[in-house]
Every structure is written in structure tokens, then in C-alpha cells.
Amino acid sequence: ADAVSKFAGIWIMSELINNNTINFKRNQETGVMGMDVAYQVIELGSDVKVQRGNLSMGSALNTTANLTNAIDPTKAFVMVNSKADHNNAVTNDCTIKATIVNSTQLRFERKSSAFGSTLAWQVVEFTDNTTVKNGTLNNWTTKDQNINVGTVDRDRSFIITSAASAEPNKVWAWL
């Protein structure tokens, strides 16, 4: 039970709650294992719009969020992080895959809903000539997988990935 309790405390949710404060949350209160956290706050130029929100997954395996303002999915990406809502939560309760469904909706999925998790999301949309290539790789079971995304300039490109287990009955833990 002690290992499970400590495990739930490693899921950290972070949220920029105003112009100068990041709020870090995890399920457990005081007296839990210490964590070392690195963070970066990136303030982009004027050619960017950011929308953000948070929600509770409760007992749902998936949920959606509606955006306040429509976006161009070819110029936007979504980031998500989560925290456990219970000391007995496992990896699949807190590992959330985030996708842009269309210009007004995001989708969040996980493979276990034994315990709730709370997530914070951000959508970054570029309004200049920046392009974003979104995709999914579902039920990946091999060691390596290559996906053709078309031509990009590697000196000006980076990848953001979110993933969730494709197998709902598998529990992964770092003990």
C-alpha cells in the first residue's frame, strides 16, 4: 500500500493561473515523497493565441472540452498534464492522450478509470505562417515506428507527444 500511495504522488499537474504564477498540484498532501520539478514558461511573440482550461475526468475513460474561440487545427497543438485524484490511482488513470477533434473541440482519453484524475490543458495556435502537423499512432505494439509527416525544417521544428496505454488492463508502475 505504501508503494501505491507514493506512486500516486508522482503525477503532477501544472497550470499558469495568472500572469506570474504557476500552480503545481498532486493528489497527496504533506509528508509525501519529495519531488524535483523542472519547468519552462515560454512566452511567444504576438503571432500566437493560447486557450487553456482544466477539468476532472471523474470515472470517464474519455471526455471533451469545447474551445471558447475556434482555431485552425493546421496551426495549433494541444498540451495536457494531469494529477491523480486518489492515493490508489495507477498510471493508466493519469496518462492522458490529448487530440484536437476539430476547430472547436478537444478530446482527452485514458485506458483506466478506476480512480479519477484532474487535467490542465492548453491549446497554442499560431497566426503567422507556422504549420502544425497533428496525427495519432493507435495500438502501437512494435519497438520502433516511423510516421511520414511530410517535409519539415528540423532546425525549426519540435515534437510534442501525449500517450496513453492501448491496453486497459495493463498497469505500469515505477517501483
Side-chain angles (χ1 to χ4, degrees):
D2 188 51
V4 171
S5 295
K6 288 182 179 180
F7 175 72
I10 68 170
W11 292 101
I12 296 174
M13 185 175 91
S14 60
E15 211 174 351
L16 189 61
I17 58 172
N18 60 38
N19 287 347
N20 58 5
T21 307
I22 300 172
N23 175 256
F24 295 97
K25 292 181 185 173
R26 61 181 172 166
N27 179 49
Q28 295 162 322
E29 303 293 328
T30 59
V32 298
M33 127 180 89
M35 296 289 294
D36 294 328
V37 177
Y39 64 88
Q40 297 81 38
V41 176
I42 298 96
E43 181 176 1
L44 299 167
S46 61
D47 295 334
V48 173
K49 297 177 190 173
V50 179
Q51 296 182 60
R52 61 182 53 86
N54 59 60
L55 56 91
S56 174
M57 292 287 289
S59 62
L61 287 174
N62 59 68
T63 190
T64 58
N66 294 318
L67 299 172
T68 303
N69 300 304
I71 60 167
D72 178 350
T74 67
K75 294 186 162 289
F77 64 92
V78 62
M79 297 181 292
V80 64
N81 60 73
S82 65
K83 73 167 193 73
D85 289 341
H86 191 278
N87 286 348
N88 292 328
V90 296
T91 304
N92 288 341
D93 290 319
C94 301
T95 307
I96 312 291
K97 181 176 83 171
T99 54
I100 296 173
V101 176
N102 57 42
S103 64
T104 60
Q105 193 173 64
L106 306 176
R107 180 175 177 85
F108 305 99
E109 300 174 68
R110 63 185 177 159
K111 295 300 179 182
S112 173
S113 60
F115 297 98
S117 63
T118 301
L119 61 91
W121 57 265
Q122 299 177 91
V123 174
V124 179
E125 179 186 23
F126 296 93
T127 58
D128 60 7
N129 65 348
T130 300
T131 60
V132 177
K133 300 179 185 224
N134 293 297
T136 58
L137 176 59
N138 293 316
N139 199 24
W140 174 33
T141 59
T142 60
K143 182 178 177 183
D144 296 296
Q145 180 70 49
N146 293 328
I147 301 293
N148 187 332
V149 295
T151 302
V152 297
D153 182 342
R154 289 183 60 205
D155 292 333
R156 297 184 307 119
S157 302
F158 62 96
I159 299 167
I160 296 174
T161 305
S162 66
S165 171
E167 300 179 38
N169 297 322
K170 297 255 178 150
V171 177
W172 305 98
W174 303 280
L175 300 175

